[in-house]
Amino acid sequence: MQPSLIIHGGAWDIPDDAVDACKSGCLSALRAGWKILKSGGHALDAIEAAIIVLEDDPVFDSGFGSHLTMDGRVECDAIVMDAATLRAGAVAGLRRVKNPIQAARAVLEKCPHMMLISEGAEHFAAAHGVQLCDPRDLISPAEREAWLRCSKDSHAAQNHRGHEQGTVGAVALDGHGRLFAATSTGGTCCKLPGRVGDSPLIGCGCYADRETGGVSSTGYGEAIMRVVMAKTAADFLRPAGSTPARAAQAAVELLANRGHGTGGLIVLDKNGKPGFAFNTPRMALGYVNEESSFFASV
Ligand code: ASP
């Protein structure tokens, strides 16, 4: 079976001066994931490797460089899902985990539950070998400055414009037919402490089912939750004649019309065909095409 990989770095009004950095971050993530897939590796290892590259890159809102909460901290959420078993590992409200995707993977592989939050999730992750960090190590200078600007004006929504890079996600199918999807985020800018969006919620920020395909969502989480966007998009792959591009487009239309929100999603169907759609000014994404060439766009 031919492996396949698609990744994203968020759908928002990504500012002009971040476009090149987002594109090169997407290409680096593709390289990291593809290296594993093309040598016969596991889809779970490939998406973890791709997401770690994106989490470590401060141009994206996940891991280092996450948006700050109203009280000036980073709180990360992440999920990874196995299309074969419909099991997910999800974590929310992490303040001390350098790479939240690793905590999500630990939950997927080693926990009887599917979702852990805050200190409980951090303790579980640390007990299973995931690296913890000082919470301040997740704060990038750019996000700190943006937060200071916001806080001078009561965190008014218009102050968030101009640093709207987003959540990251990946879906991979490996040569053995194993399909996994994942999403990792710092959430929305100046969110209330304790707020959890769509990203770590099964069916909202991420879904994977071997009968349909894998999906990772991004955008305004409260709207994505209203339409359970990732599961809905996966179900849009069921009818004969559907394509990943059309399923993604239908999900974004539902997000706009019923969820009254903006965002985007990446889709990989069960055969590894990629698709995406967004109703924001820009979305950062990349995939490996049938000729094994990398494509990235912002
Ligand atoms: N969906 C994420 C959230 O609401 C944010 C994003 O995708 O950029 O937490």
Side-chain angles (χ1 to χ4, degrees), residues 61-83:
D61 170 30
S62 61
F64 175 58
S66 289
H67 293 323
L68 303 190
T69 57
M70 197 77 105
D71 63 355
R73 300 173 205 240
V74 165
E75 290 182 357
C76 293
D77 311 323
I79 181 170
V80 57
M81 183 161 178
D82 179 351

Side-chain angles (χ1 to χ4, degrees), residues 8 10-12 61 67 77 164-168 183 185-188 191 195-200 205 217-222 224-225:
H8 74 83
W12 290 103
D61 170 30
H67 293 323
D77 311 323
E164 291 195 308
Q165 296 90 322
T167 293
V168 307
T183 304
T185 189
T188 46
K191 63 186 180 182
R195 177 261 187 193
V196 177
D198 63 299
S199 304
S217 316
T218 174
Y220 181 53
E222 283 70 11
I224 293 171
M225 286 188 260

Side-chain angles (χ1 to χ4, degrees), residues 165-187:
Q165 296 90 322
T167 293
V168 307
V171 190
L173 176 74
D174 68 24
H176 300 278
R178 293 172 295 217
L179 177 69
F180 285 78
T183 304
S184 177
T185 189

Side-chain angles (χ1 to χ4, degrees), residues 215-218 229 233 247-249 251-252 263-267 275-278 283:
V215 179
S216 172
S217 316
T218 174
M229 187 159 82
Q249 187 56 38
V252 157
L265 69 165
I266 53 169
V267 177
F276 60 87
F278 51 98
M283 180 167 183

